[in-house]
Amino acid sequence: MLKVCIISCGMIANAAHIPAYKHFCEDFEIVGVSDINPEKAKNTAERHNIPRWYTDAEKMLDECRPDLVSVCVPNSFHKEYTALVLNHGANVLCEKPLAFTKRDACELFELAKKKGKVLMACQSMRFTPDRLAAKRYIDCHGETDFYYTELSRIRRRGIPYWGAFHIKKISCGGAFIDIGVHMLDAAVWLTGNSKVLSVCAASARNHAEEIGDLAKSGALTGHVDSLRKFNPEEMDVEDFSAGCVKFENGAIMNFKVAWATNMPEESSLKLVNKRVGIHIPTGEVYSGMDECERLEERPESYPAPFSGHFHIIENLRDVLLHGAEPCVKPEETVACAEIIEAFYRSANLGREVFVSEL
């Protein structure tokens, strides 16, 4: 039985992490939760029958001595709390993105290695049936050398108006690091292109005054415990981004990501090498002039709003108890951090930024 603690009791902790741990209750026991807001910590503990709640995460770590901690704090605090947990001798599952600079990502993985602990970024959107089908096809057929990738993650009106996603000092960025990082991670994972050369990008804030509903803005259950009043004047992050990533092997990846834009809703990946072109989510695989087949999808193993967290936590169980390989590898997470850092530099400077500059 692995003892688990949760740091920060917002939507993602209550709707994703805690249900996933409870699903694997034979292997995980949630022994404590913490949040700087005592009402949120208390309510989360009572709702999920968790024995202890705290407003001080370090006190919780000292008293509960967990084996594994989910770090669910806002983005700008990921490094601080991940390091705190590692230094207290626990393994870490940190909400995405783990880090926003190459240096921070490398420092955290070096600390985890020094402490002999597992550190994993919660890149939960790899585990949709269509992406898993693509991964099985790629592995089965030995497909490599993808020279072109295209990703689109578009919400028509999906700016998160709950929490502080729209405030840079708390979130570190906007649509690109909120929903774009899931697509980046999936692309790096599927293609194996993790050695980044450069990024050329642009971003904009166009629709801060136009918001949709909770589910369309990322709260998939349609419920948030404490809905913060949204002030569009506070929004200092991008709601639209586009650009190109170049890799050391010559591959390129074009992307567009939006919380809000006048385009159709879309969540798609296109992967191309000399033999095949794979389109997700259609499942179409193109090869030759008129040849087209479809990927074989399997039913979702965990029919829940945040099913990807169940897959991640199942893997963590196998890593910690049975020595399995982590499904989200450090080099993939570092590549995402490099792209994120280079993206924001490029958008600010108005030019291509090379990873060697970081």
Side-chain angles (χ1 to χ4, degrees):
M1 181 71 74
L2 296 165
K3 294 192 295 182
V4 175
C5 283
I6 312 285
I7 298 179
S8 190
C9 298
M11 185 277 297
I12 202 67
N14 280 278
H17 287 256
I18 293 173
Y21 286 122
K22 284 185 168 290
H23 181 85
F24 299 103
C25 59
E26 293 183 358
D27 301 298
F28 295 105
E29 178 189 9
I30 305 175
V31 295
V33 296
S34 72
D35 196 287
I36 58 173
N37 182 328
E39 183 178 353
K40 289 174 68 175
K42 182 174 183 290
N43 288 347
T44 294
E46 291 177 349
R47 182 189 316 162
H48 299 287
N49 296 313
I50 297 168
R52 308 176 81 169
W53 61 269
Y54 298 82
T55 55
D56 184 330
E58 187 163 14
K59 183 178 180 181
M60 176 180 71
L61 296 173
D62 287 334
E63 294 186 1
C64 294
R65 302 182 65 82
D67 302 295
L68 173 63
V69 176
S70 276
V71 173
C72 303
V73 294
N75 292 342
S76 62
F77 304 105
H78 282 183
K79 183 181 180 183
E80 173 188 345
Y81 280 94
T82 295
L84 175 70
V85 174
L86 289 170
N87 281 318
H88 275 74
N91 303 286
V92 181
L93 175 62
C94 180
E95 263 302 323
K96 59 77 191 171
L98 171 67
F100 307 91
T101 67
K102 176 182 180 180
R103 174 176 292 181
D104 283 354
C106 291
E107 285 181 358
L108 288 172
F109 282 117
E110 287 169 6
L111 178 60
K113 183 176 180 180
K114 178 182 176 182
K115 297 294 183 180
K117 298 300 173 183
V118 173
L119 168 59
M120 187 182 293
C122 193
Q123 294 292 171
S124 58
M125 291 303 292
R126 294 181 178 192
F127 302 101
T128 57
D130 52 354
R131 294 172 193 176
L132 289 172
K135 179 62 172 172
R136 287 192 298 271
Y137 181 92
I138 289 167
D139 290 347
C140 179
H141 291 81
E143 296 297 347
T144 57
D145 304 321
F146 288 96
Y147 62 82
Y148 179 71
T149 305
E150 182 177 309
L151 66 86
S152 296
R153 181 64 181 97
I154 302 295
R155 294 177 183 168
R156 289 195 64 181
R157 292 295 183 271
I159 295 172
Y161 64 97
W162 46 279
F165 292 87
H166 60 295
I167 301 173
K168 186 176 180 179
K169 68 179 181 180
I170 298 174
S171 68
C172 299
F176 189 73
I177 58 169
D178 178 33
I179 56 178
V181 70
H182 280 308
M183 306 298 287
L184 291 176
D185 172 74
V188 168
W189 172 58
L190 289 169
T191 64
N193 293 336
S194 61
K195 295 185 177 180
V196 183
L197 178 66
S198 67
V199 178
C200 187
S203 66
R205 172 190 173 279
N206 297 309
H207 297 281
E209 291 76 19
E210 304 173 49
I211 58 176
D213 59 32
L214 279 171
K216 290 180 179 178
S217 68
L220 301 183
T221 61
H223 174 75
V224 175
D225 286 336
S226 52
L227 191 61
R228 183 181 184 276
K229 183 176 175 57
F230 182 80
N231 180 0
E233 294 182 0
E234 292 180 319
M235 185 167 161
D236 57 356
V237 297
E238 81 285 352
D239 57 21
F240 180 84
S241 59
C244 177
V245 181
K246 295 179 182 177
F247 297 88
E248 290 183 5
N249 63 358
I252 63 172
M253 176 171 66
N254 289 335
F255 64 85
K256 57 183 184 290
V257 178
W259 273 340
T261 188
N262 295 320
M263 298 173 69
E265 293 273 340
E266 186 176 5
S267 180
S268 68
L269 282 163
K270 298 176 182 177
L271 319 172
V272 184
N273 65 17
K274 291 181 179 180
R275 294 168 298 279
V276 297
I278 302 172
H279 290 198
I280 306 168
T282 67
E284 295 168 331
V285 180
Y286 294 91
S287 57
M289 179 66 76
D290 299 311
E291 298 177 20
C292 179
E293 58 182 303
R294 285 192 178 273
L295 299 172
E296 182 182 348
E297 289 190 21
R298 298 173 185 172
E300 171 57 62
S301 302
Y302 305 109
F306 291 93
S307 59
H309 286 72
F310 288 67
H311 288 275
I312 287 269
I313 286 170
E314 179 184 32
N315 175 250
L316 264 175
R317 175 201 64 187
D318 294 340
V319 170
L320 297 175
L321 294 179
H322 309 300
E325 285 292 315
C327 60
V328 181
K329 294 178 171 53
E331 60 267 25
E332 297 163 344
T333 302
V334 171
C336 286
E338 290 174 338
I339 295 171
I340 290 169
E341 182 177 6
F343 164 83
Y344 282 105
R345 285 203 191 187
S346 176
N348 288 334
L349 296 173
R351 65 167 176 85
E352 183 177 15
V353 169
F354 289 81
V355 167
S356 58
E357 300 177 53
L358 305 181

